[in-house]
Amino acid sequence: MRVLTARDDALLVELDDLDQAVALYESLLADPVRGVGVPVPGARTLLVPYRPSAIRAPELAAELRSRPLVRRPAAEARTVEIPVRYDGEDLAEAAALLGWSPEELVRRHTAAAWTVGFVGFAPGFAYLTGDDPELVVPRRSSPRTRVPAGSVALAGPYSGVYPRESPGGWQLVGRTDAPVWDVTRERPALMLPGDRVRFVAVTSAAESRSAVENDLRDGSGAEDDPQVVLEENRNAAGVQVVASGVVAVVQDLGRAGSEGAGVSASGALDRPSLRAANRAVGNPVDAAVVEAVGGLRLRARGPQVLAVTGAVGEIVVRPGAPRPRPGEPFALDDGDELRFAAPARGVRAYVAVRGGISVPPVLGSRATDVLAGLGPDPLRPGDLLPVGVPERGLPAVGPRAVPAPAVPAPPGTGLPAPGETTVLDIVLGPRDDWFDAAGIDLLTGQDWLVTPRSNRIGLRLDGTPLPRTPDRVGAELPSEGCVTGAIQVPPDGLPVLFLADHPLTGGYPVIGAVVAGHVPLAGQLPAGARIRFHVRDVPRPDGTTPAGGTP
């Protein structure tokens, strides 16, 4: 077992194989460690987030090393049956690659005993390993841009089922109607790490639907995913979107706790600004708000109290009225509009409404996850955002009537601007050993440009590419969990800095990660800004502190 630093509040445990990774995952779920969050299994790793205030890295590493790496008995594992119509586009080609007939591939795929190793790539996408060592096929040389939902596929030693339409490079051998991902269930992912899976060949769509309906009666399935639909209703109270600007989405503090099902926490990119906006209007700090990039206009439907924080230009509520300051609560009468100019610094503004944005929660959160497709769609003109019931005893407010609450720094100041260089503290690891000293110097010794291709999933950076060590050129890294702030380096050597909607697992080496306290600053970096990475020394899992950085 190797225990590596993944961030200043996360460790990556490297094990011999997938069985050991799942065994440690099962151990932590059965006997949790105080201060440790939901672990994320990978192909032969386990990402373990923790609170440094509750447990230190060396103590956690010692606890992890003490755990027996023994899987729970097969009889205790949950078994899932997947009915499959074996008519996939790649069935004949995959069989030929194995030197088998299509019928032989189907026979061996259904005869194999499959186990869920980990869930990643997309919510509910389970990586299954089987007990047939010969059932190994390469990925397609050219990935498809569209793989239909329910496709049953093979790649390397894995099998899997695509839960929703998405791009993909696996070999498609069949289709299923089994609802492998459904947020209306208590357990949204049909398959979770440690589950046993059996594929059953069916000959018709009717037979497949019959098998699925039996599962539904047994409580293991449900209806299709609900869609959070926002419609214009001129008679309802709330705030209406007049113009959405570049992009506007609903956000809160995210849906932590679903990582085992392949769902990242998502949530606001600049969480301090979200909390400050909610405090200003008297909401709980985790209430849902609007996160906006440029040009947002909202109209009050009924009297409302709002506050704006983050990257904000001049705020206007009505011609001739006093202009509220960022972080200050203000009132809108029915029909009044809020608009604010593009900010000179930063990129994302946060608009809180007293009572909170009350769209239906999905997996316990109202946040929009653009990669996973969870929560409300990005906002459009005409959408009406319902507002919840505010806390009792809050005072009425007019412009400037109530002073803004204290916040750590004046919102909208000290944020990054295009052309300026922002220093982000990072910790190295877990895969900095894929790069030599010259590569580390390149990472920290140049300014990286934030390109316009950046979004909530990640910042794409431009600069002098980072070369891998000669022995790692062309090497593939088995999928492993990634934290928000991870600096992943694809084969072209140009880093991608993961933000809130990043994929939960990835297969490119992570050279380092932005420390947790600087992640909100990373979320405010506009295109054209520059980043300088500074290595911060944190205690290693072995108890030592590396030299070269600063604490």
Side-chain angles (χ1 to χ4, degrees):
M1 180 187 293
R2 284 207 309 162
V3 184
L4 310 170
T5 299
R7 201 170 70 178
D8 56 326
D9 59 356
L11 300 178
L12 186 75
V13 185
E14 187 180 76
L15 301 128
D16 289 342
D17 53 34
L18 181 59
D19 272 352
Q20 288 189 358
V22 175
L24 185 56
Y25 171 78
E26 291 174 346
S27 173
L28 290 173
L29 291 187
D31 183 15
V33 179
R34 180 175 176 270
V36 171
V38 178
V40 179
R44 57 183 181 87
T45 59
L46 191 70
L47 180 68
V48 183
Y50 67 96
R51 284 187 292 109
S53 61
I55 188 169
R56 297 175 64 251
E59 297 167 346
L60 177 55
E63 172 64 28
L64 295 171
R65 290 192 175 98
S66 74
R67 296 292 178 110
L69 301 179
V70 179
R71 296 285 302 276
R72 63 183 174 181
E76 297 179 7
R78 182 173 178 270
T79 299
V80 179
E81 287 194 354
I82 305 292
V84 182
R85 303 188 300 281
Y86 284 93
D87 55 1
E89 295 179 49
D90 304 321
L91 178 63
E93 182 180 344
L97 289 169
L98 294 166
W100 302 341
S101 67
E103 293 75 17
E104 177 68 3
L105 191 157
V106 172
R107 185 188 71 78
R108 295 179 70 158
H109 191 251
T110 54
W114 297 92
T115 303
V116 180
F118 59 102
V119 182
F121 169 65
F125 188 96
Y127 288 74
L128 311 177
T129 59
D131 60 355
D132 187 339
E134 296 182 5
L135 191 50
V136 178
V137 296
R139 293 171 181 262
R140 289 177 53 84
S141 57
S142 177
R144 291 183 171 90
T145 58
R146 177 185 173 275
V147 175
S151 295
V152 179
L154 298 168
Y158 299 113
S159 188
V161 181
Y162 283 81
R164 57 189 295 233
E165 182 180 308
S166 65
W170 289 29
Q171 307 279 1
L172 307 185
V173 297
R175 292 175 292 167
T176 182
D177 292 319
V180 295
W181 174 254
D182 186 342
V183 296
T184 67
R185 290 190 298 239
E186 181 178 353
R187 172 179 148 144
L190 184 61
M191 298 173 280
L192 290 177
D195 286 351
R196 311 288 173 167
V197 178
R198 177 171 172 259
F199 291 103
V200 179
V202 296
T203 57
S204 67
E207 189 177 353
S208 176
R209 284 193 295 271
S210 176
V212 171
E213 287 166 2
N214 287 334
D215 281 344
L216 293 176
R217 284 193 290 270
D218 292 338
S220 60
E223 299 177 355
D224 292 339
D225 294 0
Q227 296 295 312
V228 177
V229 179
L230 301 171
E231 297 180 351
E232 181 173 357
N233 182 345
R234 293 185 180 275
N235 297 319
V239 289
Q240 187 173 38
V241 179
V242 178
S244 56
V246 177
V247 63
V249 291
V250 175
Q251 292 298 336
D252 56 20
L253 294 181
R255 49 180 59 84
S258 298
E259 290 86 349
V263 180
S264 65
S266 187
L269 292 182
D270 182 354
R271 295 188 177 197
S273 289
L274 176 143
R275 293 187 180 100
N278 276 321
R279 283 196 299 266
V281 297
N283 288 342
V285 294
D286 60 349
V289 306
V290 176
E291 179 186 272
V293 178
L296 179 70
R297 289 177 60 192
L298 298 176
R299 179 180 297 131
R301 292 298 182 192
Q304 306 293 343
V305 177
L306 294 83
V308 185
T309 60
V312 187
E314 191 173 49
I315 302 172
V316 178
V317 296
R318 67 180 72 84
R323 296 187 174 182
R325 295 187 298 266
E328 178 180 73
F330 57 91
L332 293 185
D333 291 329
D334 181 44
D336 283 350
E337 288 190 6
L338 161 69
R339 62 182 187 275
F340 44 82
R345 313 186 71 86
V347 64
R348 290 176 172 87
Y350 293 85
V351 182
V353 185
R354 179 171 289 180
I357 303 300
S358 187
V359 296
V362 178
L363 300 181
S365 169
R366 295 178 169 88
T368 297
D369 184 330
V370 298
L371 180 64
L374 297 175
D377 287 338
L379 302 179
R380 298 170 299 178
D383 286 343
L384 183 73
L385 296 171
V387 174
V389 178
E391 298 287 335
R392 296 183 64 181
L394 291 173
V397 62
R400 313 261 176 135
V402 176
V407 293
T413 64
L415 294 176
E420 294 184 358
T421 298
T422 296
V423 177
L424 295 179
D425 283 357
I426 66 170
V427 295
L428 295 177
R431 299 300 175 189
D432 51 314
D433 58 352
W434 281 54
F435 306 87
D436 58 20
I440 301 298
D441 288 344
L442 265 180
L443 174 70
T444 60
Q446 64 175 306
D447 288 352
W448 294 94
L449 178 68
V450 178
T451 71
R453 296 184 298 147
S454 304
N455 53 29
R456 282 185 49 87
I457 297 169
L459 302 178
R460 293 185 176 272
L461 308 181
D462 194 17
T464 303
L466 304 178
R468 297 180 181 180
T469 57
D471 60 318
R472 302 289 191 179
V473 175
E476 292 190 5
L477 182 70
S479 291
E480 57 191 28
C482 297
V483 298
T484 301
I487 306 167
Q488 192 183 71
V489 185
D492 65 5
L494 296 177
V496 178
L497 197 166
F498 280 166
L499 296 180
D501 292 356
H502 68 87
L504 200 63
T505 60
Y508 296 138
V510 172
I511 192 172
V514 176
V515 299
H518 281 196
V519 167
L521 184 58
Q524 288 286 13
L525 285 160
R530 296 184 176 275
I531 301 173
R532 176 68 66 118
F533 293 120
H534 169 260
V535 176
R536 179 190 293 184
D537 289 342
V538 297
R540 289 173 171 162
D542 61 7
T544 64
T545 300
T550 59

